Amino acid sequence: MGVYIIKRLISGVITLIVVATMTFFLMFMVPGGPFLAEKALSPQTLQALESKYGLDKPVIVQYFNYMKHLAQGDLGTSLKQRGRDVNDIIRIGFPVSARIGLIAVTISLFFGISLGSMAAVKRGKLTDNIIMVIATAGIAVPSFVVATVLLFSFGVRLNLLPTVGLSTPLHYIMPVIALSLYPTAYISRLMRSSMLDVLGQDYMRTAKAKGLSWFVMLFKHALRNAVLPVVTYLGPLMAYIMTGSFVVERIFNIPGLGSKFISSITDRDYPLIMGTTIFLAFLIIFMNVIVDIVYKLVDPRIKFR
Amino acid sequence: MDKLLLDIKNLKLSFFTPAGEVKALNDISIQMEEGEVLGIVGESGSGKSVTAYSLMGLTAYPGRIVDGTVDFNGHRINDMKEHQLRAMRGNEVSIIFQDPMTSLNPVYTIGNQIREVIMLHTNLDKKEAHRRAGELLTLVGISDQEKRLRQYPHELSGGMRQRVMIAIALACEPKLLIADEPTTALDVTIQAQILELMKELKSKINMSIILITHDLGIVASMCSKIAVMYGGKVVESGCVDDIFYNMKHEYTKGLLRSIPKINASEHEKLVPIEGTPVDTLNPPAGCPFAPRCSKCMKICLSRMPAYTSVNEDHYCACWLLQKADFEARADNKGHTEDSAAVAYGVEGGPK
Ligand SMILES: Nc1ncnc2c1ncn2[C@@H]1O[C@H](COP(=O)(O)OP(=O)(O)O)[C@@H](O)[C@H]1O
Ligand code: SF4
Ligand SMILES: [Mg+2]
């Protein structure tokens, strides 16, 4: 186990270096620059700005400079939000996104697993059909549509729920629903197919032949086996959802990381693009290690190599 | 006469699939006394497992008893509610399956899976159930019990897992143990060990066994009675000696010819039974074996032969016997009485 974690750490660091390198050079291949949007910059000012941030140096020099700072955990300074460290922007934005994200993941897991199992148990019946229609719709409808519809109906028309920010628990309801719809639908479908597979396994027949009730059969024998594909999906899901959804954060005006990430790209805010990308990559790697450990706990057949 | 443990009477069981009604069991009757070892033989798809599952109330959806009755240990299985069936399964009757590699839940320890059935059907607490589980492992010939109880199925070999399945089956000292092709998925040496274990257990514990197999060799060494199934019918049944030395049904004869002989010479070939098994969706009107039978007559194709009693517990459903029976009777009485007699003379060749 210890050896395994060390191995994963090393491969994680290598992955991060690759991600950072690729992002860095891709970023410079995209036309445009951070100061182009601002009108009436005299050539002198532009030059002064570029030299201040080191943008006048050859790309390869900039790259090694960046990597040197990265190695010390310094993600640099934002070009657009003058004077703010990228580290600070992430430190402030991430907890906001992560909190909504964790709530959404928990809700998706609960409903996804229950609905998917229910559909599998009632295969071919009305319940199954209803759940699957809803799940398919949940996958097909983009979150900005869900968010807008919610905002318009409950927020504006009925005036039941607050629409801006996250100051009270009530504020969480709409963004969380908008965020969790897709993963709930996805997990339901995943769960249904794996549950169907498990229910047809020989050990379920053994369980029945022992005289166990359907409750024990389902919750003890089937669920733990059927949930394994969901655990695998959990790694990327957690990483993506916790770094925030651009759409949902924009629509509900939430000061999370997701909105920062996208605006950093349109702004060509190079350090912020690098910072958020590397942070996302780090989170994915970290979550996957966690998921591997959880997987091992659920399925004793898994061995760490 | 000993107490009747199992009495299946004129059981008809069908699977109502989208493609149509699959008549898996077509009017079968099987009786079994306490302490008996009954072998059910027949090729794959003949209805052996379906028969076994029906008496545990384990018939899989969309299967349903269409007609007939199943009485086991004083219960009428047909009329039992699900909770009554649950109290019976694993307790009065248990089953071990063909494939030990997939029959145990991969995510729970051996100990957990044995304890579970003990705690379900007895009042033992976890600690006592654990001790009992250890005893059961000893009984089925597994040493180092404490370690084994803590292991997961994937850490055990196939033979070992089948021993665990047997331990689970025996946990509540059932009246009847059903072994559904318990050795088919194992390699030959392990097969012999498992059979040896079952024989040993049979002599230690007073229980009845139904041994399902397509291997007549296995049956000969263990069973007292044999039912030969073909196409959802019991075509012949009797005690071991009747079946092995005085078999009457053409299918049974073919089955016996297809057993490999240990002392067979090089060029003495096995004789496989030619033709394909019965289409259960469209079962033939007459004898199910007719399309593959070399003695098939015209009447075999159109009418199901009734059982002829060869002796007190040897029965066979074949028109050839009816013919012999009829001729004997005709000789005695000196006149014909069955209209079917006309058909007997008309011998149709093999298909
Ligand atoms: N779940 C099911 N659905 C449809 N048909 C089934 C099902 N289970 C068994 N059957 C049919 O019942 C017949 C007997 O099957 P089975 O008892 O499993 O044969 P075997 O003698 O090999 O154990 C087969 O023809 C099979 O097609
Ligand atoms: S009844 Fe006819 S077809 Fe069937 S086994 Fe006897 S002779 Fe053959
Ligand atoms: Mg079978």
Side-chain angles (χ1 to χ4, degrees), chain A residues 86-108:
Chain A
V86 173
N87 291 49
D88 286 336
I89 295 176
I90 292 176
R91 196 176 303 129
I92 292 165
F94 176 63
V96 177
S97 296
R99 197 174 318 122
I100 300 194
L102 273 180
I103 297 172
V105 168
T106 311
I107 285 176
S108 315

Side-chain angles (χ1 to χ4, degrees), chain B residues 249-250 287 289-290 293 295-297 300 305 317-320:
Chain B
H249 200 276
E250 293 306 307
C287 169
F289 192 56
C293 179
K295 303 249 173 76
C296 178
M297 302 168 289
C300 303
C318 172
W319 280 118
L320 287 172

Side-chain angles (χ1 to χ4, degrees), chain A residues 77-92:
Chain A
T77 315
S78 167
L79 301 180
K80 282 287 171 156
Q81 308 175 42
R82 309 258 155 88
R84 285 190 70 193
D85 283 348
V86 173
N87 291 49
D88 286 336
I89 295 176
I90 292 176
R91 196 176 303 129
I92 292 165

Side-chain angles (χ1 to χ4, degrees), chain B residues 44-45 47-50 53 98 180-181 212:
Chain B
S44 178
K48 306 181 298 292
S49 301
V50 171
Y53 296 171
Q98 177 171 340
D180 189 354
E181 313 211 20
I212 297 175

